[in-house]
Amino acid sequence: MDEALLKYGPRTTLYLIRHAQQDYPRAGSSAADIVDPPLSGVGERQLEHLAKRFVEVPLDAVYASPLSRALRTGQAAGSHLGLKPALDRDLREFDIFYQLPGDVPPEVSLGEEVLEAARTQMVRDLRWDAYPASETSAQFRGRVNAAIDRIVAAHENQSIAVACHGGAINALLASRLGITEDMFFRAAHTSVTTVYISGDRMVIHGLNDYTHLRDEPELRTA
């Protein structure tokens, strides 16, 4: 860990927030419904606690993925300051099945055996490249890192909340830490990962922190 950056040096502080819990698509859902589901009732309650957590955090800006669950999360994080999230499309989650027809279930477009084989490979290798008709791991990491680089460049030495997705947070950290697996940890819903950035140096100050949900264990979901 870079103690000089952690304690003394000027730095940009990023609060990387995974979105609140979504309604999980049912079997037979279309590809479009899988990509952008609404928040669940649990997710709505998680946002209440997240908003309270950020009441005393002096943010300079809020950014969010345009997917509704992340946008709503960014709105909650910045609500105490009246900050509206700036949308960055490159913060969206891994573009799974984007090459398939949006109104057809993936199991119909690909076939049950192909889909199940992809899921099994993902569990084994923890690499997004397991999924056909989707973006590649390299493409995903590249666009997430590009988005973060733009945000940091625009807000040097400021504090920024970035509401996005578990896959996107993993993509950023894995690429910066030299980790091969795309999903090397499971971020909890509304968890906050805090990083300090100065030049080409990055320090992880807190990973997957969801202490704002400690009083309601039923809201701690991954």
Side-chain angles (χ1 to χ4, degrees):
M1 180 177 292
D2 193 328
E3 295 293 339
L5 174 58
L6 183 63
K7 294 182 178 179
Y8 307 113
R11 68 207 182 198
T12 300
T13 300
L14 295 182
Y15 300 101
L16 304 170
I17 310 168
R18 189 191 177 196
H19 60 80
Q21 186 193 71
Q22 71 274 39
D23 266 331
Y24 290 101
R26 298 176 181 177
S29 295
S30 68
D33 288 337
I34 291 173
V35 169
D36 196 12
L39 291 183
S40 67
V42 168
E44 296 286 355
R45 291 171 60 198
Q46 290 170 337
L47 288 189
E48 295 176 10
H49 290 273
L50 180 72
K52 292 176 182 177
R53 173 183 181 143
F54 273 88
V55 163
E56 297 183 0
V57 178
L59 297 175
D60 295 290
V62 178
Y63 283 78
S65 154
L67 297 179
S68 60
R69 58 195 185 275
L71 173 57
R72 291 285 309 285
T73 302
Q75 290 169 338
S79 60
H80 66 296
L81 295 173
L83 292 174
K84 295 182 178 180
L87 300 184
D88 192 318
R89 190 170 182 272
D90 285 342
L91 292 172
R92 70 192 185 280
E93 186 57 292
F94 173 71
D95 244 341
I96 192 168
F97 303 141
Y98 80 96
Q99 298 175 16
L100 300 180
D103 58 348
V104 178
E107 54 264 39
V108 173
S109 298
L110 295 173
E112 290 280 3
E113 290 186 5
V114 171
L115 189 58
E116 185 57 33
R119 289 169 177 160
T120 299
Q121 184 178 343
M122 176 60 181
V123 170
R124 183 186 68 234
D125 299 337
L126 301 179
R127 294 277 298 175
W128 291 116
D129 290 332
Y131 287 105
S134 306
E135 77 179 318
T136 66
S137 170
Q139 290 170 334
F140 184 35
R141 291 189 182 204
R143 66 169 168 82
V144 171
N145 275 275
I148 295 300
D149 287 345
R150 288 194 299 270
I151 291 169
V152 172
H155 299 281
E156 186 176 0
N157 301 332
Q158 294 184 338
S159 295
I160 317 299
V162 179
C164 54
H165 307 268
I169 295 169
N170 271 268
L172 173 69
L173 299 184
S175 59
R176 301 293 176 104
L177 297 173
I179 295 173
T180 302
E181 292 82 2
D182 290 325
M183 291 293 289
F184 70 95
F185 80 101
R186 184 79 171 179
H189 288 108
T190 69
S191 64
V192 181
T193 293
T194 305
V195 300
Y196 299 145
I197 297 177
S198 179
D200 59 356
R201 296 181 296 169
M202 182 182 77
V203 168
I204 301 174
H205 184 54
L207 182 72
N208 198 27
D209 179 3
Y210 51 95
T211 52
H212 50 285
L213 304 177
R214 62 181 176 272
D215 295 332
E216 295 192 55
E218 68 274 16
L219 299 185
R220 302 175 197 169
T221 61

